[in-house]
Amino acid sequence: MSETTPKKTTATKSTRTAGQVRGIVKRMYGRANQAAAEGKPIAYCMVASQYEEILKAMDIVPVWTENYAALTAAKQAAEPFITRAESEGFSNVLCKYAMVGLGFDAIRAETGQTPEGAPDGGMAKPTMLLGSSAVCDPRFKWYQALGRYMDTPIYCIDVLYPQSRQFTPDMRDYYVRYQTEQFRGLVDFLERTTGARMDWDRLGHIMDLADETTRVWWEAYQLRKARPCPMPSQDHFSCMVPAYYLLGESEALEFYQTLYDELKDRVDRGVGVIENERYRLLWGGGLPPWHTLSIFNDFEQRGAVFTIETSYHPPEPVEPLAAGAHPLERLAHRFVMRVERAQARANQGCGDSRVQQILDLLEDYGNVGMMMHQARSCRAMSLGQIHFKNIVQEQVKVPTMFMESDIIDVRDYSESDTRMRLDAFLDAVAAYAEGLA
């Protein structure tokens, strides 16, 4: 594959609120580095591990290592870390999030200082490593491999994704009990490691704030169903940051309330992403190419807008347990109920919850085309995409484009190949949309 480093890597945003995220990210890493200088507990963390509120309640400052890798890609600063990890013997087909992190910590271990050129001051050195089973195996193996470069306590939890297509009350209770015990084990580790005790009342209040944040985020995204669409996917890949990395903080709730107000105003005034919205598209699978988010603007120049996405999609709010339930049980119940609700919806349709989400978003947001990103180093999010597309097309013959690239490594991106696919895809979208008219 030929490699061409694009001149512009970031996408032009449509909303003012999305423009605030860069400052949030800078403050996030600055806060962690300041906390490290003050001797406060720092944890390397994995996204979607369901422990965000627990860390907040115990005043443990998180460093979201996958997010940092994405930041280096957006800043065109990832390659030195990837090549260092390769020189350490790690295969270049491994998760590139992990490769960036491994290379970063290999350099820091060798030099004794933050690697030169690391964006936003680099990742603060952790006092603990918190892995999980959520989504993919690097959630365990990456932090284990860091034992080469640091002698740091590590703890991994199991995050359940129940697979049953029919949930009985006994099954639901089992899943909730199991996940609750995983959280209990984590809290015990955190208490032993930090010497602090969990404040359960505080955790409950943080969860209340997190639930409200998720509700407002969800409602804001319902506004994207409007024609013209008030906010595109490139804004989303910034706007998801507070929900995933600041959950349980008032700043996150304020951010999504601001986003909701802006989107509501744009909908009321009929303001869209572009002046002439011809085609509405779904980002239907895979993480984005953080090194080349400008690809979204290439679509917009041809009248196409990505109105919604499956990646980092806000979870639909669920009813919490009754007052008085233990906070850890509430955490577990919330997660299991999200999975159960998604499967119940799928049972009324195609039977597969991931495919049903695609079908629902295609219909609800009026999309006439779908993009899937086959990232070379992200098997967990790329696996099954062709299968999903085939099932979708049993219901709707929506045109689908597969973009082949990587989440981090720009060396796996071919601008010429992508543009050729883009043109052919939009020709198919135009024909499909005309047939629906």
Side-chain angles (χ1 to χ4, degrees):
M1 177 181 293
S2 62
E3 297 94 9
T4 302
T5 302
K7 295 179 180 179
K8 179 176 174 57
T9 61
T10 57
T12 301
K13 306 295 192 299
S14 294
T15 61
R16 296 186 307 274
T17 308
Q20 299 176 12
V21 174
R22 184 69 190 100
I24 291 174
V25 171
K26 287 182 178 179
R27 291 193 299 275
M28 187 167 68
Y29 290 107
R31 179 170 60 179
N33 281 302
Q34 180 63 33
E38 296 171 359
K40 295 179 179 178
I42 308 293
Y44 269 11
C45 300
M46 297 290 185
V47 71
S49 294
Q50 310 301 320
Y51 49 42
E52 297 94 326
E53 294 117 309
I54 292 174
L55 302 182
K56 175 66 177 175
M58 294 194 68
D59 290 321
I60 295 169
V61 180
V63 173
W64 301 99
T65 51
E66 293 155 303
N67 175 263
Y68 190 77
L71 173 63
T72 67
K75 295 297 181 182
Q76 294 287 285
E79 188 168 347
F81 304 129
I82 295 172
T83 56
R84 177 54 186 263
E86 290 171 347
S87 74
E88 295 282 309
F90 294 102
S91 170
N92 66 4
V93 299
L94 294 178
C95 168
K96 287 302 194 303
Y97 285 160
M99 292 289 279
V100 168
L102 291 165
F104 179 98
D105 280 309
I107 295 172
R108 178 163 57 188
E110 178 183 59
T111 64
Q113 57 189 12
T114 298
E116 183 178 355
D120 293 358
M123 294 187 289
K125 191 171 184 179
T127 54
M128 65 189 79
L129 309 172
L130 303 179
S132 79
S133 68
V135 184
C136 59
D137 54 351
R139 301 303 184 85
F140 278 95
K141 303 306 295 183
W142 173 357
Y143 290 174
Q144 290 174 356
L146 286 181
R148 291 189 184 188
Y149 312 117
M150 61 180 75
D151 184 15
T152 306
I154 181 172
Y155 193 87
C156 296
I157 67 169
D158 194 8
V159 177
L160 280 179
Y161 283 87
Q163 296 301 306
S164 175
R165 295 195 173 188
Q166 296 292 337
F167 280 76
T168 66
D170 287 345
M171 291 167 58
R172 182 190 307 125
D173 291 345
Y174 168 78
Y175 290 134
V176 170
R177 287 197 307 272
Y178 181 88
Q179 194 65 67
T180 300
E181 288 307 307
Q182 290 295 303
F183 292 143
R184 288 189 189 279
L186 174 63
V187 171
D188 180 64
F189 168 80
L190 297 177
E191 290 181 336
R192 288 186 284 107
T193 302
T194 65
R197 302 292 293 178
M198 170 63 81
D199 183 333
W200 298 111
D201 289 337
R202 185 185 184 199
L203 176 57
H205 291 312
I206 289 171
M207 289 182 60
D208 291 340
L209 182 59
D211 287 342
E212 177 66 7
T213 299
T214 299
R215 182 190 65 78
V216 176
W217 183 28
W218 169 268
E219 291 181 354
Y221 275 34
Q222 303 310 297
L223 296 170
R224 297 171 66 191
K225 297 176 181 178
R227 293 177 181 269
C229 179
M231 173 182 143
S233 288
Q234 62 264 33
D235 286 36
H236 160 74
F237 287 122
S238 291
C239 288
M240 46 72 63
V241 164
Y244 278 89
Y245 308 121
L246 298 178
L247 191 64
E249 298 189 23
S250 58
E251 182 178 7
L253 176 57
E254 292 165 4
F255 176 88
Y256 290 113
Q257 188 60 62
T258 300
L259 179 64
Y260 178 91
D261 293 342
E262 181 178 4
L263 296 186
K264 181 65 166 60
D265 176 67
R266 289 171 68 93
V267 170
D268 290 345
R269 294 188 294 115
V271 176
V273 174
I274 56 178
E275 186 173 348
N276 181 22
E277 178 187 280
R278 299 176 62 196
Y279 311 120
R280 297 168 67 90
L281 307 177
L282 167 68
W283 184 271
L287 301 178
W290 298 109
H291 52 74
T292 315
L293 291 177
S294 56
I295 187 69
F296 288 106
N297 295 141
D298 292 337
F299 279 91
E300 291 171 1
Q301 291 171 7
R302 294 162 173 79
V305 175
F306 283 89
T307 65
I308 199 65
E309 49 290 312
T310 58
S311 303
Y312 304 112
H313 191 75
E316 185 176 355
V318 297
E319 289 298 318
L321 283 175
H326 193 279
L328 296 183
E329 186 179 0
R330 285 180 57 193
L331 273 175
H333 176 268
R334 181 178 68 189
F335 180 64
V336 171
M337 286 302 297
R338 287 172 179 169
V339 177
E340 180 177 351
R341 177 176 291 183
Q343 187 57 56
R345 190 157 45 243
N347 289 342
Q348 302 299 316
C350 71
D352 185 300
S353 60
R354 293 182 65 177
V355 177
Q356 191 61 48
Q357 182 191 32
I358 293 172
L359 290 168
D360 290 344
L361 294 177
L362 284 169
E363 180 178 359
D364 293 347
Y365 289 79
N367 297 307
V368 293
M370 175 171 64
M371 162 85 90
M372 288 187 167
H373 183 207
Q374 295 181 322
R376 182 169 181 259
S377 72
C378 186
R379 295 182 299 281
M381 298 300 292
S382 300
L383 186 67
Q385 287 182 1
I386 295 176
H387 173 64
F388 297 155
K389 185 266 294 184
N390 290 341
I391 298 178
V392 166
Q393 295 223 330
E394 291 176 1
Q395 312 255 348
V396 289
K397 302 297 183 182
V398 61
T400 301
M401 172 179 167
F402 289 97
M403 177 182 178
E404 295 181 2
S405 175
D406 190 63
I407 50 177
I408 301 294
D409 198 342
V410 72
R411 298 174 301 177
D412 288 324
Y413 173 70
S414 170
E415 185 173 8
S416 59
D417 178 71
T418 302
R419 289 187 181 279
M420 181 176 64
R421 293 184 185 216
L422 186 158
D423 290 337
F425 170 60
L426 289 183
D427 285 345
V429 167
Y432 178 74
E434 184 177 352
L436 294 177

